[in-house]
Amino acid sequence: MATFLYKLGRLSFRRRHVVALIWVALLTLAGVGAASAPAAGNSSFSIPGTEAQKAFDLLEQRFPGTSADGATARVVFKAPSGEKMTDPGNKATVQDTVKELSDGSEVVRVTDPYQAKAVSKDGTIAYAQVSYKVSGMELDDAAKDALKDSAQDARKAGLTVEIGGDALQAVPHTGSSEVIGIAVAAVVLVITFGSLVAAGLPLLTALIGVGIGVSAITGLASALDLGTTTSTLAMMIGLAVGIDYALFIVSRYRAELAEGREREEAAGRAVGTAGSAVVFAGLTVVIALVGLSVVNIPMLTKMGIAAAGTVAIAVLIALTMVPALLGYAGRKVKPMGEKGKLLGRAKKEQDRPAKPNLGTRWASFVVRRPLAVLLLGVIGLGAAAVPATSLELGLPDDGSQPTSTTQRRAYDLLSEGFGPGFNGPLMVVVDAKNSDDPKAVFTETGDEIKGLKDVVTVTPAQPNKAGDTATITVVPGSKPSSVTTENLVHGIRDAGADIKADTDANVLVTGSTAMNIDVSEKLNDALVPYLVLVVGLAFLLLIVVFRSILVPLKAALGFLLSVMAALGAVVAVFQWGWLSGLMGVEQTGPVMSMMPIFMVGVVFGLAMDYEVFLVTRMREAYVHGEKPAQAVVTGFRHGARVVTAAAVIMMAVFAGFIGSSESMVKMIGFGLAIAVFFDAFIVRMAIVPAVLALLGRKAWWLPKWLDRALPNVDVEGEGLRTRTDRGDEDRELVRA
């Protein structure tokens, strides 16, 4: 592989005009496609195989035309102090609002609070429910404006009016912190390279790669039913890995220049060596992201595949466009050890007395005291992981919105007037098609549910036209995200199993609350198989890369430490509320259900990046004859500075998304940033060299039969060294 990539790097350097033209053309094509594509709606959220999804599908079949997947809005009214919603003036205002709302072209129906008995017992709060034909993201701006205007008119009459539901769902924004993250990355690159040109290359190539990836996602969003979060996460991961991959190749290029090689040769060798590490690091990220499809949640699968595609583009750009731009840069990219005028150090450091760099000094310290460093690192990560033992999972609802939003205020008003469980009603679907007496089954089901704990209200069954299927609405006594409500859902399902045994009727529970519970359980069940699949495939890949059993095993165990510590930090901030003000978390609550499995996938891929980049340098030194302990020090001398810069950049990019208005993006941004910190600076910089120092030559042991069976991918560039040595001999003969 090293030889092939070496040739690719030289070709890209030499044919830089063609390479640059191809990538610019792809960027233009993707941009035009994104601009001309129809606007994407809200991604449909289906969970195949769950009871909530089966009930939802049954509703679509037995109650046609009800727009079960359409947006809903709850317009909540509160009377002024000392008044009731049943007072004539307030009642007239509400009825005028209901009439005004009913005039919308996309409105299916609007319930009158007084006819639907949607007035609180104390008479101070009432609500009208609006159902639409399309989802919240597909609603016209005119329909949203009409909803807001109707509420404003009622406010002018003296009522407090707030709007809940998904009808006012907005496209999430990331805010200025994303730009700050990129700015921090730029500063780190300038400090690392000492040159604006060299620092600009990774940023430029990463932005081009992300531009192509996100534009392609935008162009295909409508056809493939991709949500807005898909492109945001692809941008987040694509920026981080794109900058890092280019950074490693540019750094190796400068190191090759420092050894006296010509620029084209240096570009070829940089791509042949660091590029090999980029390929395998990118493969681990792609495996981890594509592996999310085993969970069988379409939305998560699409997010993973889209992000994996962006990572693949970042790898291709690093292997081709980076050497092409190095050709354009010429002498503006200095050899390693020679700084540009930007930092006021034009003189080569080689002219000064040799001084071990920080990476060398740190690695030497770890090699002298490996056991102490190992214990300190493991205990520290273990302490950070303690909060993860109280992890609670759930999906966000209006109760997790900031208190400044009308959705959150509507949620609080409904809780005040009707109880906390009113914000998460359960819909029970009774399929009595195979029963002899459907009406009796409907009545029996309602009576059984009334006898369960934590049930506040059970509405009479509402049968369809055929009379074989009915819906029953159940209002729990606890809030939607509580364990008590989850127990109630399971209680209804257990009662339904008994009813099925007696009457052959199916009782299914659905609704947003039941769907959230099913998603959490499905994700929990999929976590172990996902870990086995992803870690297993990456383990095999790393055996090929490092030709060792213990090094990949150590990499996997180190990853588990860092991801558990990161989950602990997420629980501490988003569930317990530690530093929540600093992170902009206005409302604490359960961690999003998909957070653990998504973090496992992404962090594993990124963790293997640093493992490959750092340990490849160590193996390269070991293969070329150095003792194991010295190889560790050599690897750090060449790689620690660059890996540190890469980690800081990746943390800055991820942390930039903490400013997002979307709670899921905010949580993932924080989780990935803290996970990179734990993995890069504690696991890879401390635990990894400590373990390798303790293992010595055993770290690189591989059974002979397996060594013969494995393909030789030559990540260390041994073939290039042989090729160069042969070339040097030929040149000596010519001179002679």
Side-chain angles (χ1 to χ4, degrees):
M1 174 176 285
T3 303
F4 169 76
L5 293 178
Y6 165 80
K7 294 178 180 178
L8 179 63
R10 292 196 62 165
L11 179 65
S12 300
F13 186 96
R14 191 165 54 250
R15 304 292 185 187
R16 48 188 172 272
H17 301 309
V18 176
V19 172
L21 184 62
I22 290 173
W23 283 112
V24 170
L26 288 174
L27 178 61
T28 304
L29 183 64
V32 171
S36 59
N42 190 29
S43 179
S44 60
F45 190 78
S46 62
I47 314 294
T50 62
E51 179 172 318
Q53 186 64 45
K54 292 176 182 176
F56 184 84
D57 295 339
L58 185 64
L59 284 174
E60 291 283 330
Q61 178 185 349
R62 302 288 174 85
F63 293 82
T66 56
S67 300
D69 58 346
T72 59
R74 276 181 171 176
V75 183
V76 188
F77 307 89
K78 184 175 182 179
S81 179
E83 298 183 18
K84 302 283 188 181
M85 288 306 304
T86 51
D87 293 346
N90 294 335
K91 186 174 182 179
T93 299
V94 171
Q95 290 177 330
D96 289 342
T97 303
V98 169
K99 184 178 179 181
E100 184 179 348
L101 288 169
S102 302
D103 294 335
S105 59
E106 293 184 322
V107 174
V108 176
R109 61 185 174 276
V110 182
T111 60
D112 186 316
Y114 304 100
Q115 295 179 3
K117 298 181 180 180
V119 180
S120 63
K121 290 182 179 180
D122 62 5
T124 59
I125 297 174
Y127 72 91
Q129 182 150 317
V130 187
S131 300
Y132 293 90
K133 299 176 183 177
V134 295
S135 66
M137 294 299 288
E138 295 172 320
L139 269 182
D140 290 339
D141 290 338
K144 294 182 179 181
D145 291 340
L147 183 59
K148 295 175 184 176
D149 291 342
S150 64
Q152 189 59 36
D153 292 340
R155 291 190 187 106
K156 291 177 181 178
L159 298 177
T160 298
V161 186
E162 304 296 345
I163 305 171
D166 60 354
L168 294 183
Q169 186 175 6
V171 177
H173 63 273
T174 54
S176 59
S177 55
E178 177 188 345
V179 179
I180 295 173
I182 296 176
V184 171
V187 171
V188 173
L189 287 169
V190 170
I191 294 173
T192 303
F193 293 134
S195 164
L196 286 175
V197 175
L201 287 179
L203 278 176
L204 177 61
T205 54
L207 289 173
I208 291 174
V210 167
I212 294 173
V214 172
S215 295
I217 291 170
T218 304
L220 297 172
S222 179
L224 300 181
D225 190 25
L226 303 178
T228 54
T229 307
T230 303
S231 59
T232 304
L233 294 176
M235 182 190 305
M236 181 192 303
I237 297 170
L239 268 177
V241 300
I243 294 174
D244 277 8
Y245 294 165
L247 167 65
F248 280 101
I249 289 180
V250 173
S251 298
R252 188 60 184 252
Y253 171 77
R254 295 177 70 232
E256 297 294 336
L257 288 179
E259 293 183 11
R261 292 187 173 85
E262 295 295 328
R263 294 187 177 273
E264 183 178 327
E265 176 69 14
R269 289 183 64 85
V271 175
T273 51
S276 297
V278 166
V279 169
F280 283 101
L283 272 175
T284 59
V285 180
V286 169
I287 288 172
L289 290 171
V290 173
L292 290 170
S293 58
V294 303
V295 184
N296 196 27
I297 295 180
M299 185 184 76
L300 197 59
T301 299
K302 293 171 186 176
M303 287 165 53
I305 292 176
T310 307
V311 171
I313 293 171
V315 171
L316 292 174
I317 282 185
L319 298 178
T320 56
M321 193 169 189
V322 169
L325 292 181
L326 289 172
Y328 283 117
R331 297 187 180 278
K332 293 180 180 179
V333 177
K334 307 290 183 181
M336 186 164 295
E338 183 179 340
K339 302 292 184 179
K341 296 180 181 179
L342 182 65
L343 297 182
R345 297 172 61 190
K347 186 179 180 180
K348 284 189 176 183
E349 292 182 358
Q350 288 92 324
D351 298 337
R352 303 173 184 177
K355 179 182 177 182
N357 60 21
L358 182 60
T360 302
R361 296 196 299 273
W362 169 250
S364 300
F365 170 79
V366 174
V367 167
R368 289 196 304 270
R369 298 173 178 82
L371 188 59
V373 173
L374 176 62
L375 291 176
L376 188 61
V378 171
I379 291 172
L381 290 177
V386 169
T389 58
S390 62
L391 175 68
E392 295 178 9
L393 298 177
L395 287 178
D397 54 23
D398 285 347
S400 62
Q401 296 273 4
T403 53
S404 58
T405 62
T406 186
Q407 291 95 330
R408 172 59 189 278
R409 292 195 292 265
Y411 180 97
D412 291 340
L413 283 177
L414 288 171
S415 296
E416 177 188 342
F418 302 92
F422 195 79
N423 283 290
L426 306 174
M427 179 176 288
V428 179
V429 182
V430 185
D431 178 10
K433 191 172 184 178
N434 297 325
S435 297
D436 297 331
D437 189 355
K439 289 184 179 180
V441 173
F442 301 154
T443 302
E444 180 184 351
T445 303
D447 292 341
E448 286 286 341
I449 296 173
K450 288 177 183 177
L452 298 175
K453 294 180 180 180
D454 201 49
V455 173
V456 174
T457 305
V458 178
T459 64
Q462 302 292 322
N464 62 350
K465 290 183 179 180
D468 58 6
T469 307
T471 60
I472 300 173
T473 301
V474 181
V475 177
S478 304
K479 64 181 182 179
S481 59
S482 68
V483 176
T484 307
T485 301
E486 181 179 348
N487 292 336
L488 174 60
V489 170
H490 291 302
I492 295 174
R493 288 172 174 170
D494 291 341
D498 295 335
I499 292 173
K500 179 176 177 60
D502 295 337
T503 65
D504 204 24
N506 287 320
V507 178
L508 307 174
V509 186
T510 189
S512 60
T513 301
M515 184 71 79
N516 290 351
I517 292 170
D518 287 350
V519 170
S520 297
E521 292 179 352
K522 190 176 182 69
L523 288 166
N524 285 338
D525 294 342
L527 186 56
V528 173
Y530 174 70
L531 267 174
V532 171
L533 173 68
V534 173
V535 176
L537 288 175
F539 181 78
L540 295 176
L541 186 65
L542 292 179
I543 289 178
V544 174
V545 174
F546 296 127
R547 308 195 78 78
S548 163
I549 297 293
L550 296 179
V551 171
L553 180 61
K554 172 262 310 168
L557 294 176
F559 150 73
L560 291 176
L561 274 174
S562 59
V563 80
M564 288 304 298
L567 276 176
V570 169
V571 170
V573 173
F574 290 89
Q575 188 174 310
W576 291 0
W578 293 6
L579 301 177
S580 57
L582 181 63
M583 298 296 166
V585 180
E586 296 188 32
Q587 180 64 32
T588 59
V591 173
M592 258 169 299
S593 301
M594 63 181 63
M595 184 67 191
I597 199 164
F598 189 83
M599 181 180 282
V600 164
V602 176
V603 173
F604 183 78
L606 300 180
M608 295 306 104
D609 277 5
Y610 300 118
E611 180 76 13
V612 169
F613 288 129
L614 194 59
V615 180
T616 295
R617 273 288 195 171
M618 298 177 190
R619 173 160 178 80
E620 185 176 344
Y622 177 75
V623 167
H624 293 155
E626 292 187 8
K627 293 181 179 180
Q630 183 57 40
V632 171
V633 176
T634 300
F636 267 76
R637 182 173 70 247
H638 291 297
R641 178 185 176 91
V642 180
V643 168
T644 299
V648 172
I649 288 169
M650 195 170 282
M651 287 169 56
V653 172
F654 288 147
F657 288 83
I658 295 175
S660 174
S661 62
E662 176 67 40
S663 58
M664 178 178 176
V665 175
K666 180 191 291 287
M667 190 179 292
I668 289 178
F670 171 79
L672 294 183
I674 197 70
V676 168
F677 171 77
F678 287 144
D679 195 85
F681 293 106
I682 299 180
V683 174
R684 309 304 154 188
M685 291 290 184
I687 294 178
V688 165
V691 171
L692 290 177
L694 288 170
L695 290 175
R697 294 186 182 276
K698 295 177 183 178
W700 307 107
W701 171 80
L702 186 70
K704 291 183 179 179
W705 63 268
L706 185 57
D707 185 40
R708 291 191 298 268
L710 291 177
N712 183 12
V713 294
D714 190 21
V715 176
E716 300 83 16
E718 182 63 27
L720 300 183
R721 176 180 287 256
T722 304
R723 180 191 188 98
T724 303
D725 293 343
R726 190 186 310 119
D728 291 341
E729 291 175 4
D730 293 342
R731 283 191 288 273
E732 290 296 330
L733 289 173
V734 170
R735 292 194 188 99

